[in-house]
Amino acid sequence: MSWFESFVLGLVQGLTEFLPISSSAHLRLTAAFAGWHDPGAAFTAITQIGTEAAVLIYFRKDIVRIVSAWFKSLTDRSMRGDHDAQMGWLVIVGSIPIGVLGVTFKDQIEGPFRDLRLIATTLIVMGIVLGIADRLAARDEAGGKHRAVKERKSLKELGVKDGLIFGFCQAMALIPGVSRSGATISGGLLMGYTREAAARYSFLLAIPAVLASGVFELKDAGEGHVSWGPTIFATFIAFGVGYVVIAWFMKFITTKSFMPFVIYRIILGLVLFALVGAGALSPHAGESAG
């Protein structure tokens, strides 16, 4: 991998990680369209450490508060009813599904799941799911002529059951094209949470999963065509760009709909199907050189 490739891929990772359009799919597609080697699951996981560092800084006050309350609750029973302490446990519980499934399906994630036809399918299907969830949220918020405005849930109402559902939604992002934020936000909206609450828990829930995945994949960083230098460079690029994107996205979702992302996902999926169907792009483009 050249330094230019690592710069572009780091930029793509930072731009797409927090948007509901799938960063892993865009890294895979960028390489395929440019005629580069597939950067692979290890490169993706490690560069995600950069974007998660942006989450740690952006939500630093929330994280310090949650971690502090959680540790206190281990020895102080009076703290176990504290919302922040409970949130610490819920992040742990919600991280179990992706941890178990990530290890179980590691070979598939690094192989068959990177087929461009599967990515096109998940882009479209999850785009439709996000669109439905967004419409339901908009209907509750707007009410109607014969329907009162329905108040949606905040994170204070999050329990173990919903935390696990969020976790299984996040685990779906092991398949490129699903999108970690897209799946968890969709799940949250379908369960009745506000856009802001679903997005905030989505980002907090991703921290242990992404960091663990990145550390786990460190051993493979120097293998194949991807070397340490470009990988680290791409990770720093992803961090800088990711911080800007997450700040913008958290403001965007308070007043805007997810429909632009829904339309983009569906169009990209259809274009990808058309290119593969016409023979202009191989469903395994770049994989042979892995």
Side-chain angles (χ1 to χ4, degrees), residues 4-96:
F4 176 71
E5 287 179 48
S6 67
F7 171 78
V8 172
L9 293 174
L11 185 64
V12 170
Q13 168 64 26
L15 286 171
T16 59
E17 172 66 17
F18 303 116
L19 305 181
I21 55 176
S22 179
S23 61
S24 57
H26 279 75
L27 288 174
R28 176 79 176 89
L29 293 177
T30 299
F33 287 139
W36 301 336
H37 300 329
D38 178 1
F43 177 87
T44 300
I46 294 170
T47 54
Q48 284 177 336
I49 293 177
T51 45
E52 285 312 302
V55 173
L56 291 173
I57 293 176
Y58 186 84
F59 290 109
R60 60 190 180 279
K61 293 181 180 178
D62 296 46
I63 293 170
V64 169
R65 194 177 64 249
I66 290 170
V67 172
S68 176
W70 181 79
F71 272 111
K72 289 179 181 177
S73 73
L74 296 178
T75 56
D76 185 353
R77 289 189 176 185
S78 66
M79 286 292 296
R80 294 177 185 177
D82 182 81
H83 171 67
D84 290 324
Q86 291 176 344
M87 183 59 67
W89 286 111
L90 289 170
V91 168
I92 294 172
V93 169
S95 300
I96 294 174

Coordinates of all heavy atoms in Angstrom, one line a residue, residues 4-96:
F4 N -0.1 7.4 -0.6 CA -1.3 8.1 -1.1 C -2.5 7.2 -0.9 O -3.6 7.8 -0.5 CB -1.1 8.3 -2.6 CG -2.3 8.9 -3.3 CD1 -2.7 10.2 -3.1 CD2 -3.1 8.1 -4.1 CE1 -3.8 10.8 -3.6 CE2 -4.3 8.7 -4.7 CZ -4.6 10.0 -4.5
E5 N -2.4 5.9 -1.1 CA -3.6 5.0 -0.8 C -4.0 5.1 0.6 O -5.2 5.2 1.0 CB -3.2 3.6 -1.2 CG -3.1 3.3 -2.7 CD -2.7 1.9 -2.9 OE1 -3.3 1.0 -2.3 OE2 -1.8 1.6 -3.7
S6 N -3.0 5.1 1.5 CA -3.3 5.1 3.0 C -4.0 6.5 3.3 O -4.9 6.5 4.2 CB -2.1 4.9 3.8 OG -1.2 6.0 3.7
F7 N -3.5 7.6 2.7 CA -4.2 8.9 2.9 C -5.6 8.9 2.5 O -6.5 9.3 3.3 CB -3.4 10.0 2.2 CG -4.1 11.3 2.2 CD1 -4.0 12.1 3.4 CD2 -4.9 11.8 1.2 CE1 -4.7 13.3 3.4 CE2 -5.5 13.0 1.2 CZ -5.4 13.8 2.3
V8 N -5.9 8.4 1.3 CA -7.3 8.3 0.8 C -8.1 7.4 1.7 O -9.3 7.8 2.0 CB -7.3 7.9 -0.7 CG1 -8.7 7.7 -1.2 CG2 -6.6 8.9 -1.6
L9 N -7.6 6.3 2.0 CA -8.4 5.3 2.8 C -8.7 5.8 4.2 O -9.7 5.6 4.8 CB -7.7 3.9 2.8 CG -7.7 3.2 1.4 CD1 -6.9 2.0 1.5 CD2 -9.1 2.9 0.9
G10 N -7.7 6.5 4.8 CA -7.8 7.1 6.1 C -8.9 8.2 6.0 O -9.7 8.3 7.0
L11 N -8.9 9.0 5.0 CA -9.9 10.0 4.8 C -11.3 9.4 4.7 O -12.2 9.9 5.3 CB -9.6 10.8 3.5 CG -10.4 12.0 3.2 CD1 -10.2 13.1 4.2 CD2 -10.0 12.6 1.8
V12 N -11.4 8.3 3.9 CA -12.7 7.7 3.7 C -13.2 7.1 5.0 O -14.4 7.2 5.4 CB -12.6 6.5 2.6 CG1 -13.8 5.7 2.6 CG2 -12.3 7.1 1.3
Q13 N -12.3 6.5 5.8 CA -12.7 5.9 7.1 C -13.2 7.0 8.0 O -14.2 6.9 8.7 CB -11.4 5.2 7.7 CG -11.6 4.9 9.2 CD -12.7 3.9 9.5 OE1 -13.0 3.1 8.6 NE2 -13.3 3.9 10.6
G14 N -12.5 8.1 8.1 CA -12.9 9.2 8.9 C -14.2 9.8 8.5 O -15.1 10.2 9.3
L15 N -14.5 9.9 7.2 CA -15.7 10.5 6.7 C -16.9 9.7 6.9 O -18.0 10.1 7.1 CB -15.5 10.9 5.2 CG -14.7 12.0 4.8 CD1 -14.4 12.1 3.3 CD2 -15.3 13.4 5.3
T16 N -16.7 8.3 6.8 CA -17.9 7.4 6.8 C -18.1 6.7 8.1 O -19.2 6.1 8.2 CB -17.7 6.4 5.7 OG1 -16.5 5.7 5.9 CG2 -17.6 7.1 4.3
E17 N -17.2 6.6 9.0 CA -17.4 5.8 10.2 C -18.6 6.2 11.0 O -19.4 5.3 11.5 CB -16.1 5.9 11.1 CG -16.3 5.2 12.5 CD -16.4 3.7 12.4 OE1 -16.1 3.1 11.4 OE2 -16.8 3.1 13.4
F18 N -18.9 7.5 11.2 CA -20.0 7.9 12.0 C -21.3 8.1 11.3 O -22.4 8.3 11.9 CB -19.6 9.1 12.8 CG -18.4 8.9 13.7 CD1 -17.3 9.6 13.4 CD2 -18.4 7.9 14.7 CE1 -16.1 9.4 14.2 CE2 -17.3 7.7 15.4 CZ -16.1 8.4 15.2
L19 N -21.2 8.1 10.0 CA -22.4 8.3 9.2 C -23.1 6.9 8.9 O -22.3 5.9 8.8 CB -22.1 9.0 7.8 CG -21.4 10.3 7.9 CD1 -21.2 10.9 6.5 CD2 -22.2 11.3 8.8
P20 N -24.4 6.8 8.8 CA -25.0 5.5 8.6 C -24.9 4.9 7.2 O -25.9 4.6 6.5 CB -26.5 5.8 9.0 CG -26.7 7.2 8.6 CD -25.4 7.9 8.9
I21 N -23.7 4.9 6.7 CA -23.5 4.5 5.3 C -22.4 3.4 5.2 O -22.1 2.9 4.0 CB -23.1 5.6 4.3 CG1 -21.9 6.4 4.9 CG2 -24.3 6.6 4.2 CD1 -21.4 7.5 4.0
S22 N -21.8 3.0 6.3 CA -20.8 1.9 6.3 C -19.4 2.2 5.9 O -19.1 2.3 4.7 CB -21.3 0.6 5.5 OG -20.3 -0.4 5.6
S23 N -18.6 2.4 6.9 CA -17.2 2.7 6.6 C -16.4 1.5 5.9 O -15.7 1.7 5.0 CB -16.4 3.2 7.8 OG -16.4 2.1 8.8
S24 N -16.7 0.3 6.4 CA -16.0 -0.9 5.9 C -16.4 -1.1 4.4 O -15.5 -1.4 3.6 CB -16.4 -2.1 6.7 OG -17.8 -2.3 6.7
A25 N -17.7 -0.8 4.1 CA -18.1 -0.9 2.6 C -17.4 0.1 1.8 O -16.9 -0.2 0.7 CB -19.6 -0.8 2.5
H26 N -17.2 1.3 2.3 CA -16.6 2.4 1.5 C -15.1 2.2 1.4 O -14.5 2.5 0.3 CB -16.9 3.8 2.1 CG -18.3 4.3 1.7 ND1 -19.4 3.8 2.3 CD2 -18.7 5.2 0.8 CE1 -20.5 4.4 1.7 NE2 -20.0 5.2 0.8
L27 N -14.5 1.6 2.4 CA -13.0 1.3 2.2 C -12.9 0.2 1.1 O -12.0 0.3 0.3 CB -12.5 0.8 3.5 CG -12.3 1.8 4.6 CD1 -11.8 1.1 5.9 CD2 -11.2 2.8 4.2
R28 N -13.8 -0.8 1.2 CA -13.7 -1.9 0.2 C -14.0 -1.4 -1.2 O -13.3 -1.7 -2.2 CB -14.8 -2.9 0.6 CG -14.9 -4.1 -0.4 CD -13.8 -5.1 -0.2 NE -14.0 -6.2 -1.1 CZ -13.6 -6.3 -2.3 NH1 -12.9 -5.3 -2.8 NH2 -13.8 -7.4 -3.1
L29 N -15.0 -0.5 -1.3 CA -15.4 0.0 -2.6 C -14.4 1.0 -3.2 O -14.1 1.0 -4.4 CB -16.8 0.7 -2.5 CG -17.9 -0.2 -2.2 CD1 -19.2 0.6 -2.1 CD2 -18.1 -1.2 -3.3
T30 N -13.8 1.8 -2.3 CA -12.7 2.8 -2.8 C -11.6 2.0 -3.4 O -11.1 2.4 -4.5 CB -12.2 3.6 -1.6 OG1 -13.3 4.4 -1.0 CG2 -11.1 4.6 -2.0
A31 N -11.2 1.0 -2.7 CA -10.1 0.2 -3.3 C -10.5 -0.5 -4.6 O -9.7 -0.6 -5.6 CB -9.7 -0.9 -2.2
A32 N -11.7 -1.0 -4.7 CA -12.1 -1.7 -5.9 C -12.2 -0.8 -7.0 O -11.8 -1.1 -8.2 CB -13.5 -2.4 -5.6
F33 N -12.8 0.4 -6.8 CA -13.0 1.4 -7.9 C -11.7 1.9 -8.4 O -11.5 2.3 -9.6 CB -13.9 2.5 -7.5 CG -15.4 2.2 -7.4 CD1 -16.1 2.6 -6.3 CD2 -16.0 1.4 -8.3 CE1 -17.5 2.3 -6.2 CE2 -17.3 1.0 -8.2 CZ -18.1 1.5 -7.2
A34 N -10.7 2.1 -7.5 CA -9.4 2.7 -7.8 C -8.4 1.6 -8.4 O -7.4 1.9 -8.9 CB -8.8 3.3 -6.6
G35 N -8.8 0.4 -8.3 CA -8.0 -0.7 -8.8 C -6.9 -1.1 -7.8 O -5.9 -1.7 -8.2
W36 N -7.1 -0.7 -6.5 CA -6.1 -1.1 -5.5 C -6.5 -2.4 -4.9 O -7.6 -3.0 -5.1 CB -6.1 0.0 -4.4 CG -5.8 1.4 -4.9 CD1 -5.1 1.7 -6.0 CD2 -6.1 2.6 -4.2 NE1 -5.0 3.1 -6.1 CE2 -5.6 3.6 -5.0 CE3 -6.8 2.9 -3.1 CZ2 -5.8 5.0 -4.7 CZ3 -7.0 4.2 -2.7 CH2 -6.5 5.3 -3.5
H37 N -5.5 -3.0 -4.1 CA -5.8 -4.2 -3.4 C -6.9 -3.9 -2.3 O -6.9 -2.8 -1.7 CB -4.6 -4.7 -2.7 CG -3.5 -5.1 -3.6 ND1 -3.7 -5.5 -4.9 CD2 -2.1 -5.1 -3.5 CE1 -2.6 -5.8 -5.5 NE2 -1.6 -5.5 -4.7
D38 N -7.7 -4.8 -2.0 CA -8.6 -4.7 -0.8 C -7.8 -4.5 0.4 O -6.9 -5.3 0.7 CB -9.4 -6.0 -0.7 CG -10.4 -6.0 0.5 OD1 -10.5 -5.0 1.2 OD2 -11.1 -7.0 0.6
P39 N -8.0 -3.4 1.2 CA -7.2 -3.1 2.4 C -7.3 -4.2 3.4 O -6.5 -4.4 4.3 CB -7.6 -1.8 2.9 CG -9.0 -1.6 2.3 CD -8.9 -2.3 0.9
G40 N -8.5 -4.9 3.4 CA -8.7 -6.0 4.3 C -9.3 -5.6 5.7 O -9.3 -4.5 6.0
A41 N -9.8 -6.7 6.4 CA -10.4 -6.4 7.6 C -9.5 -5.9 8.7 O -9.9 -5.1 9.6 CB -11.1 -7.7 8.1
A42 N -8.2 -6.4 8.7 CA -7.3 -5.9 9.7 C -7.0 -4.4 9.6 O -7.0 -3.7 10.6 CB -6.0 -6.7 9.6
F43 N -6.8 -3.9 8.4 CA -6.6 -2.5 8.1 C -7.8 -1.7 8.6 O -7.7 -0.7 9.2 CB -6.3 -2.3 6.6 CG -6.1 -0.8 6.3 CD1 -4.9 -0.2 6.4 CD2 -7.2 0.0 5.8 CE1 -4.7 1.2 6.0 CE2 -7.1 1.3 5.5 CZ -5.8 1.9 5.6
T44 N -9.0 -2.2 8.2 CA -10.2 -1.5 8.6 C -10.3 -1.4 10.1 O -10.6 -0.3 10.7 CB -11.4 -2.3 8.1 OG1 -11.4 -2.3 6.6 CG2 -12.7 -1.6 8.5
A45 N -10.1 -2.5 10.8 CA -10.2 -2.5 12.3 C -9.3 -1.6 13.0 O -9.6 -0.9 13.9 CB -10.1 -4.0 12.8
I46 N -8.0 -1.6 12.5 CA -7.0 -0.7 13.1 C -7.3 0.8 12.8 O -7.1 1.6 13.8 CB -5.6 -1.1 12.6 CG1 -5.3 -2.6 13.1 CG2 -4.5 -0.2 13.1 CD1 -4.0 -3.2 12.4
T47 N -7.7 1.1 11.6 CA -8.0 2.5 11.4 C -9.2 3.0 12.1 O -9.3 4.2 12.4 CB -8.2 2.8 9.9 OG1 -9.2 1.9 9.3 CG2 -6.9 2.6 9.1
Q48 N -10.1 2.1 12.5 CA -11.2 2.4 13.3 C -10.8 2.8 14.7 O -11.5 3.5 15.4 CB -12.2 1.3 13.4 CG -13.0 1.1 12.1 CD -13.9 -0.1 12.2 OE1 -13.7 -1.0 12.9 NE2 -15.0 -0.1 11.4
I49 N -9.6 2.4 15.1 CA -9.1 2.9 16.4 C -8.9 4.4 16.4 O -9.2 5.1 17.4 CB -7.7 2.3 16.8 CG1 -7.9 0.8 17.0 CG2 -7.1 2.9 18.0 CD1 -6.6 0.0 17.3
G50 N -8.5 5.0 15.2 CA -8.4 6.4 15.1 C -9.7 7.1 15.2 O -9.8 8.1 16.0
T51 N -10.8 6.6 14.6 CA -12.1 7.2 14.7 C -12.7 7.1 16.1 O -13.4 7.9 16.6 CB -13.1 6.7 13.7 OG1 -13.0 5.3 13.6 CG2 -12.8 7.2 12.3
E52 N -12.4 5.9 16.8 CA -12.8 5.7 18.2 C -12.1 6.7 19.1 O -12.7 7.1 20.2 CB -12.7 4.3 18.6 CG -13.7 3.4 18.0 CD -15.1 3.9 18.1 OE1 -15.6 4.2 19.2 OE2 -15.8 4.1 17.0
A53 N -10.9 7.0 18.8 CA -10.2 8.0 19.6 C -10.9 9.3 19.6 O -10.9 10.1 20.5 CB -8.7 8.1 19.1
A54 N -11.5 9.6 18.4 CA -12.2 10.9 18.2 C -13.5 10.8 19.1 O -13.9 11.8 19.7 CB -12.6 11.0 16.8
V55 N -14.1 9.6 19.2 CA -15.3 9.4 20.1 C -14.9 9.7 21.5 O -15.6 10.3 22.3 CB -15.9 8.0 19.9 CG1 -17.0 7.8 21.0 CG2 -16.4 7.8 18.5
L56 N -13.7 9.1 21.9 CA -13.3 9.3 23.3 C -13.1 10.7 23.7 O -13.4 11.1 24.8 CB -11.9 8.5 23.5 CG -12.0 7.0 23.5 CD1 -10.6 6.4 23.5 CD2 -12.9 6.4 24.6
I57 N -12.6 11.5 22.8 CA -12.3 12.9 23.0 C -13.7 13.7 23.0 O -13.9 14.5 23.9 CB -11.3 13.5 22.0 CG1 -9.9 12.9 22.3 CG2 -11.3 15.0 22.2 CD1 -8.9 13.3 21.3
Y58 N -14.5 13.4 22.0 CA -15.7 14.2 21.9 C -16.7 13.9 23.0 O -17.3 14.8 23.6 CB -16.5 13.8 20.6 CG -17.7 14.6 20.3 CD1 -17.6 15.9 19.7 CD2 -18.9 14.2 20.7 CE1 -18.7 16.6 19.4 CE2 -20.1 15.0 20.4 CZ -19.9 16.2 19.8 OH -21.0 17.0 19.6
F59 N -16.8 12.7 23.5 CA -17.6 12.3 24.6 C -16.9 12.1 25.9 O -17.3 11.4 26.8 CB -18.4 11.0 24.3 CG -19.4 11.1 23.2 CD1 -19.2 10.5 22.0 CD2 -20.6 11.8 23.4 CE1 -20.1 10.6 21.0 CE2 -21.5 11.9 22.4 CZ -21.3 11.3 21.2
R60 N -15.7 12.8 26.0 CA -14.8 12.6 27.2 C -15.5 12.8 28.5 O -15.3 12.1 29.5 CB -13.6 13.4 27.1 CG -13.8 14.9 27.0 CD -12.5 15.7 26.7 NE -12.7 17.1 26.6 CZ -13.2 17.7 25.5 NH1 -13.6 17.0 24.4 NH2 -13.4 19.0 25.5
K61 N -16.4 13.8 28.6 CA -17.1 14.1 29.9 C -18.0 13.0 30.2 O -18.1 12.6 31.4 CB -17.8 15.5 29.8 CG -16.8 16.7 29.6 CD -17.6 18.0 29.6 CE -16.7 19.2 29.4 NZ -17.4 20.5 29.3
D62 N -18.8 12.6 29.2 CA -19.7 11.5 29.4 C -19.0 10.2 29.9 O -19.4 9.5 30.8 CB -20.5 11.2 28.2 CG -21.4 12.3 27.7 OD1 -20.9 13.5 27.7 OD2 -22.6 12.1 27.4
I63 N -17.9 9.9 29.2 CA -17.2 8.7 29.4 C -16.5 8.7 30.8 O -16.6 7.7 31.5 CB -16.1 8.5 28.3 CG1 -16.8 8.2 27.0 CG2 -15.2 7.3 28.7 CD1 -15.8 8.3 25.8
V64 N -15.9 9.8 31.2 CA -15.3 9.9 32.5 C -16.4 9.7 33.6 O -16.1 9.0 34.6 CB -14.6 11.3 32.7 CG1 -14.2 11.5 34.1 CG2 -13.3 11.3 31.8
R65 N -17.5 10.4 33.4 CA -18.6 10.3 34.4 C -19.1 8.8 34.5 O -19.3 8.3 35.6 CB -19.7 11.2 33.9 CG -20.8 11.5 35.0 CD -21.8 12.5 34.6 NE -22.6 12.0 33.5 CZ -22.5 12.5 32.2 NH1 -21.7 13.5 32.0 NH2 -23.3 11.9 31.3
I66 N -19.3 8.2 33.3 CA -19.8 6.8 33.3 C -18.8 5.8 33.9 O -19.2 5.0 34.8 CB -20.2 6.4 31.9 CG1 -21.4 7.1 31.4 CG2 -20.4 4.9 31.8 CD1 -21.6 7.0 29.9
V67 N -17.6 5.9 33.5 CA -16.5 5.0 34.1 C -16.4 5.2 35.6 O -16.2 4.2 36.3 CB -15.2 5.2 33.3 CG1 -14.1 4.4 34.0 CG2 -15.3 4.8 31.9
S68 N -16.3 6.5 36.0 CA -16.2 6.8 37.4 C -17.3 6.2 38.2 O -17.1 5.5 39.3 CB -16.1 8.3 37.6 OG -16.0 8.6 39.0
A69 N -18.6 6.4 37.8 CA -19.7 5.9 38.5 C -19.8 4.4 38.5 O -20.1 3.7 39.5 CB -21.0 6.4 37.8
W70 N -19.4 3.8 37.3 CA -19.4 2.3 37.3 C -18.4 1.7 38.3 O -18.7 0.7 39.0 CB -19.0 1.9 35.8 CG -19.0 0.4 35.6 CD1 -20.1 -0.4 35.5 CD2 -17.8 -0.5 35.7 NE1 -19.7 -1.7 35.3 CE2 -18.3 -1.8 35.5 CE3 -16.5 -0.3 35.8 CZ2 -17.5 -2.9 35.4 CZ3 -15.6 -1.4 35.7 CH2 -16.1 -2.7 35.6
F71 N -17.2 2.2 38.3 CA -16.2 1.7 39.3 C -16.7 1.9 40.7 O -16.5 1.0 41.6 CB -14.8 2.4 39.1 CG -14.0 1.7 38.1 CD1 -13.7 2.3 36.9 CD2 -13.4 0.5 38.3 CE1 -12.9 1.7 35.9 CE2 -12.6 -0.2 37.4 CZ -12.3 0.4 36.2
K72 N -17.3 3.0 41.0 CA -17.8 3.2 42.4 C -18.9 2.3 42.7 O -19.0 1.8 43.9 CB -18.3 4.7 42.5 CG -17.2 5.7 42.5 CD -17.9 7.1 42.6 CE -16.8 8.2 42.6 NZ -17.3 9.6 42.6
S73 N -19.7 1.9 41.7 CA -20.8 1.0 42.0 C -20.4 -0.4 42.3 O -21.1 -1.2 42.9 CB -21.7 0.9 40.7 OG -21.2 0.2 39.7
L74 N -19.1 -0.8 42.0 CA -18.6 -2.1 42.3 C -18.4 -2.3 43.8 O -18.5 -3.5 44.3 CB -17.2 -2.3 41.6 CG -17.2 -2.3 40.1 CD1 -15.8 -2.4 39.6 CD2 -18.1 -3.4 39.5
T75 N -18.2 -1.2 44.5 CA -18.0 -1.4 46.0 C -19.1 -0.6 46.8 O -19.3 -0.9 48.0 CB -16.6 -0.8 46.4 OG1 -16.5 0.5 45.9 CG2 -15.5 -1.7 45.8
D76 N -19.8 0.3 46.1 CA -20.8 1.1 46.8 C -22.2 0.7 46.3 O -22.5 1.1 45.2 CB -20.5 2.6 46.6 CG -21.4 3.5 47.4 OD1 -22.4 3.0 48.0 OD2 -21.2 4.7 47.4
R77 N -22.9 0.0 47.1 CA -24.2 -0.5 46.6 C -25.2 0.7 46.3 O -26.1 0.6 45.5 CB -24.9 -1.4 47.7 CG -24.2 -2.7 47.7 CD -25.0 -3.7 48.6 NE -24.4 -5.0 48.7 CZ -25.0 -6.0 49.3 NH1 -26.1 -5.9 49.9 NH2 -24.4 -7.2 49.2
S78 N -25.0 1.8 47.0 CA -25.9 3.0 46.8 C -25.8 3.6 45.4 O -26.6 4.3 44.9 CB -25.7 4.0 47.9 OG -24.3 4.6 47.7
M79 N -24.6 3.3 44.8 CA -24.4 3.8 43.4 C -25.0 2.9 42.3 O -25.0 3.4 41.2 CB -22.9 3.9 43.2 CG -22.2 5.0 43.9 SD -22.7 6.7 43.3 CE -22.1 6.6 41.6
R80 N -25.5 1.8 42.7 CA -25.9 0.8 41.6 C -27.2 1.3 40.9 O -27.6 0.8 39.9 CB -26.1 -0.6 42.2 CG -24.7 -1.1 42.6 CD -24.8 -2.5 43.3 NE -23.4 -2.9 43.8 CZ -23.2 -4.0 44.4 NH1 -24.2 -4.8 44.7 NH2 -21.9 -4.2 44.8
G81 N -27.9 2.2 41.6 CA -29.1 2.8 40.9 C -28.8 4.0 40.1 O -29.7 4.6 39.5
D82 N -27.6 4.5 40.2 CA -27.2 5.7 39.4 C -27.2 5.4 37.9 O -26.7 4.4 37.4 CB -25.7 6.1 39.9 CG -25.3 7.3 39.2 OD1 -25.6 8.4 39.6 OD2 -24.5 7.2 38.2
H83 N -27.7 6.4 37.2 CA -27.9 6.2 35.7 C -26.6 6.0 35.0 O -26.4 5.1 34.2 CB -28.6 7.4 35.1 CG -28.6 7.5 33.6 ND1 -29.3 6.5 32.9 CD2 -27.9 8.2 32.7 CE1 -29.1 6.8 31.6 NE2 -28.3 7.8 31.5
D84 N -25.5 6.7 35.4 CA -24.2 6.6 34.8 C -23.6 5.2 35.1 O -23.0 4.6 34.2 CB -23.3 7.7 35.2 CG -23.7 9.1 34.6 OD1 -24.2 9.1 33.5 OD2 -23.5 10.1 35.4
A85 N -23.8 4.7 36.3 CA -23.2 3.4 36.7 C -24.0 2.3 35.9 O -23.3 1.4 35.3 CB -23.4 3.2 38.2
Q86 N -25.3 2.5 35.7 CA -26.1 1.5 34.9 C -25.6 1.6 33.5 O -25.6 0.5 32.8 CB -27.5 1.8 35.1 CG -28.1 1.6 36.5 CD -29.5 2.0 36.6 OE1 -30.1 2.7 35.8 NE2 -30.2 1.5 37.7
M87 N -25.3 2.8 33.0 CA -24.9 2.9 31.6 C -23.6 2.1 31.3 O -23.4 1.5 30.3 CB -24.7 4.4 31.2 CG -24.4 4.6 29.8 SD -25.6 4.0 28.6 CE -27.0 5.1 29.0
G88 N -22.7 2.2 32.3 CA -21.5 1.4 32.2 C -21.8 -0.1 32.0 O -21.2 -0.7 31.1
W89 N -22.7 -0.6 32.8 CA -23.0 -2.0 32.7 C -23.7 -2.3 31.4 O -23.5 -3.4 30.7 CB -24.0 -2.5 33.8 CG -23.2 -2.6 35.2 CD1 -23.3 -1.8 36.3 CD2 -22.3 -3.6 35.5 NE1 -22.5 -2.3 37.3 CE2 -21.8 -3.4 36.8 CE3 -21.7 -4.7 34.8 CZ2 -20.9 -4.2 37.4 CZ3 -20.8 -5.5 35.4 CH2 -20.4 -5.3 36.7
L90 N -24.6 -1.4 30.9 CA -25.3 -1.6 29.7 C -24.4 -1.6 28.5 O -24.6 -2.3 27.5 CB -26.4 -0.5 29.5 CG -27.6 -0.6 30.5 CD1 -28.5 0.6 30.4 CD2 -28.4 -1.9 30.2
V91 N -23.3 -0.8 28.5 CA -22.3 -0.8 27.4 C -21.6 -2.1 27.4 O -21.4 -2.7 26.3 CB -21.3 0.4 27.6 CG1 -20.1 0.2 26.6 CG2 -22.0 1.7 27.3
I92 N -21.3 -2.7 28.6 CA -20.7 -4.0 28.6 C -21.6 -5.1 28.1 O -21.2 -5.9 27.3 CB -20.3 -4.3 30.1 CG1 -19.2 -3.4 30.6 CG2 -19.8 -5.8 30.2 CD1 -18.8 -3.5 32.0
V93 N -22.9 -5.0 28.6 CA -23.8 -6.0 28.1 C -24.1 -5.9 26.6 O -24.1 -6.9 25.9 CB -25.2 -5.8 28.8 CG1 -26.3 -6.7 28.2 CG2 -25.0 -6.2 30.3
G94 N -24.2 -4.7 26.1 CA -24.4 -4.5 24.7 C -23.3 -4.9 23.8 O -23.4 -5.1 22.6
S95 N -22.1 -5.0 24.4 CA -20.9 -5.4 23.6 C -20.7 -6.9 23.5 O -19.9 -7.3 22.7 CB -19.6 -4.8 24.3 OG -19.7 -3.4 24.4
I96 N -21.4 -7.6 24.2 CA -21.3 -9.1 24.2 C -21.6 -9.7 22.8 O -20.8 -10.5 22.3 CB -22.1 -9.8 25.3 CG1 -21.6 -9.4 26.7 CG2 -22.2 -11.3 25.1 CD1 -22.5 -9.8 27.8

